[in-house]
Amino acid sequence: MGSPLSGSQRAKAAAIAAAGYPLVASLAMTFRWRRDGYEHYESIVRSGRQPIFAFWHGRILAATAFWRRRGIVVITSENFDGEWIARIIRRFGYGTARGSTSRSAVRALAQLRRDMAAGHPAAFTIDGPRGPARVAQPGAVWLAGATGNPLLPFHIEADRFWSARSWDRTQVPQPFATVAIAIGAPIVVPDTTDDVVEGKRRELEESLAALEQQALALARRGASSES
């Protein structure tokens, strides 16, 4: 099936990506990272499995910077915004599966299953693409149950940032901000039955709520130690 976008829309998306990538990359180079729980990611890799990264939509920019160049595949919408976002993140070393939680989801999840079988990690903004904010959608949990790969929740906070007035309150760390990432214990999903998926979806939300507090404390502590 061809692209739903017109030629002019694709050209505009390419122009946005060409201008946006160096801006984001330059900003990310100034971040002072602090991390906690990175051993959870390393343990999954050592086990020969692939992580399914799970985080909130409002932390896309910092997450893109931190996990770049790992061959991670993410779902991006087939609309205009999804097109320029996909073009930018590919420059950071990500792959894309086109679809969303509300449209073309089955096709996108099928592609993610193939990509994971070929050795690629996957990532989900689990309350995207339109919210409600901080409510986990079941797609990532279902994929974990279908592939046998664990969910890896994480949360990112910065000590100085700009915040958008969007539904997800997108956070953009300011130049030279201390940016903290808290990575949680892997969540294994044994199967894709409705009860299991719903139970693990709630467990994922609870994990991310705890990781948010952990990341906030880490960012504040990091800023204090550098002042």
Side-chain angles (χ1 to χ4, degrees), residues 55-58 60 75-79 81-82 85 99-105 124-133 135-137 166-170:
F55 65 107
W56 298 129
H57 197 274
I60 284 179
I75 293 178
T76 57
S77 300
E78 295 181 302
N79 59 19
D81 287 342
I85 290 171
S100 71
T101 55
S102 57
R103 186 177 183 183
S104 306
F124 283 78
T125 53
I126 58 172
D127 55 347
R130 298 182 183 90
V135 175
Q137 302 298 322
S166 55
W167 65 268
D168 62 348
R169 304 300 295 175
T170 291

Side-chain angles (χ1 to χ4, degrees), residues 168-192:
D168 62 348
R169 304 300 295 175
T170 291
Q171 184 184 101
V172 178
Q174 294 179 6
F176 303 100
T178 295
V179 187
I181 179 168
I183 304 167
I187 298 174
V188 175
V189 182
D191 58 57
T192 59

Side-chain angles (χ1 to χ4, degrees), residues 101-142:
T101 55
S102 57
R103 186 177 183 183
S104 306
V106 173
R107 185 174 72 250
L109 285 170
Q111 181 181 329
L112 282 179
R113 289 186 70 174
R114 293 191 296 269
D115 290 334
M116 297 203 81
H120 293 281
F124 283 78
T125 53
I126 58 172
D127 55 347
R130 298 182 183 90
R134 306 301 178 92
V135 175
Q137 302 298 322
V141 181
W142 181 90

Side-chain angles (χ1 to χ4, degrees), residues 14-226:
I16 291 173
Y21 168 73
L23 289 175
V24 175
S26 297
L27 174 63
M29 287 179 63
T30 73
F31 297 163
R32 295 178 288 224
W33 286 98
R34 295 181 65 85
R35 66 188 193 187
D36 192 16
Y38 192 76
E39 67 274 8
H40 295 309
Y41 166 72
E42 294 176 315
S43 70
I44 295 174
V45 174
R46 284 196 303 268
S47 73
R49 296 174 296 170
Q50 300 298 330
I52 300 173
F53 299 93
F55 65 107
W56 298 129
H57 197 274
R59 299 299 183 268
I60 284 179
L61 189 147
T64 299
F66 186 83
W67 296 110
R68 65 191 183 277
R69 313 295 176 204
R70 288 177 170 86
I72 300 168
V73 181
V74 301
I75 293 178
T76 57
S77 300
E78 295 181 302
N79 59 19
F80 174 73
D81 287 342
E83 181 67 21
W84 65 259
I85 290 171
R87 288 173 181 263
I88 288 178
I89 64 174
R90 285 175 191 148
R91 297 184 183 211
F92 281 98
Y94 292 83
T96 58
R98 305 309 298 271
S100 71
T101 55
S102 57
R103 186 177 183 183
S104 306
V106 173
R107 185 174 72 250
L109 285 170
Q111 181 181 329
L112 282 179
R113 289 186 70 174
R114 293 191 296 269
D115 290 334
M116 297 203 81
H120 293 281
F124 283 78
T125 53
I126 58 172
D127 55 347
R130 298 182 183 90
R134 306 301 178 92
V135 175
Q137 302 298 322
V141 181
W142 181 90
L143 185 65
T147 64
N149 291 302
L151 296 162
L152 187 66
F154 70 89
H155 187 78
I156 297 176
E157 289 289 341
D159 68 329
R160 301 191 305 276
F161 58 87
W162 296 292
S163 184
R165 295 181 178 178
S166 55
W167 65 268
D168 62 348
R169 304 300 295 175
T170 291
Q171 184 184 101
V172 178
Q174 294 179 6
F176 303 100
T178 295
V179 187
I181 179 168
I183 304 167
I187 298 174
V188 175
V189 182
D191 58 57
T192 59
T193 58
D194 290 347
D195 288 346
V196 167
V197 169
E198 175 58 18
K200 293 297 181 177
R201 186 195 68 79
R202 292 181 180 179
E203 182 180 342
L204 180 58
E205 285 185 350
E206 292 169 0
S207 176
L208 285 168
L211 290 168
E212 180 174 2
Q213 297 307 309
Q214 188 176 338
L216 282 167
L218 188 62
R220 291 165 182 160
R221 186 162 66 247
S224 297
S225 66
E226 293 166 4

